[in-house]
Amino acid sequence: VLDLGTGTAQLPIELCRQHSECRVMAVDLSIHMLELARYNIELAGLTERIQLDHVDAKQLPYEADGFPLVMSNSIVHHIPDPLTVLRDAIRVTRQGGTLFFRDLLRPNDDQTVLDLVETYAGQEDAHAQQMFEDSLRAALSMDEICEIVSSLGFSTSTVAATSDRHWTWSATHH
């Protein structure tokens, strides 16, 4: 499995806990996140199954068709041109493999942004609230992610709003 933007490696750790044969290449552009990930992986006793790599998801150094599953949680809204990342993710996914991306969904109006910030970050400090608001405003709308997915040759039915603040794209590489 390739995990793009692994952050602190919580998803690879949980995936390996649930699937004893799973091995993960967990990548991130942030050295700080990779240091936290390394600590968490060591703590979980999974250093033999989760490998870390300092990689830019916009320029993956991996061979084509190398991974049966490429996944990512919440990096798309950090990337100015998400099409580049999704195109390269497709390139490194095996034929018949799975692409699974989840990210924030940009609300349709300012009031919804403010309501989501209050609901999910209302107990946090002002800085954390502002970061969450900025992330929501930087996120793709459903129309935008559907347009990107369609331009890559996938059905828009592979994209769904999966919470009040997330979209998920789950597709088989054809």
Side-chain angles (χ1 to χ4, degrees), residues 20-119:
S20 61
E21 299 300 313
C22 184
R23 293 181 61 230
V24 180
M25 173 64 71
V27 305
D28 207 289
L29 189 56
S30 166
I31 295 290
H32 176 67
M33 285 293 129
L34 290 171
E35 289 169 355
L36 295 172
R38 183 170 323 283
Y39 174 79
N40 289 333
I41 292 165
E42 288 173 5
L43 201 61
L46 292 167
T47 56
E48 298 298 316
R49 295 176 49 208
I50 302 172
Q51 182 177 343
L52 295 173
D53 202 359
H54 182 232
V55 166
D56 186 339
K58 295 181 296 300
Q59 299 173 326
L60 298 174
Y62 308 116
E63 292 182 21
D65 305 316
F67 296 93
L69 169 61
V70 176
M71 65 180 194
S72 177
N73 184 45
S74 296
I75 67 160
V76 172
H77 72 274
H78 292 287
I79 299 164
D81 181 16
L83 179 63
T84 305
V85 171
L86 297 178
R87 185 179 289 125
D88 215 26
I90 293 165
R91 180 187 65 79
V92 300
T93 303
R94 267 184 212 147
Q95 293 291 322
T98 301
L99 293 140
F100 187 87
F101 281 72
R102 182 172 190 257
D103 209 298
L104 290 172
L105 173 63
R106 189 174 72 242
N108 293 326
D109 58 74
D110 285 342
Q111 188 57 52
T112 305
V113 171
L114 298 176
D115 290 347
L116 289 170
V117 170
E118 179 59 32
T119 299

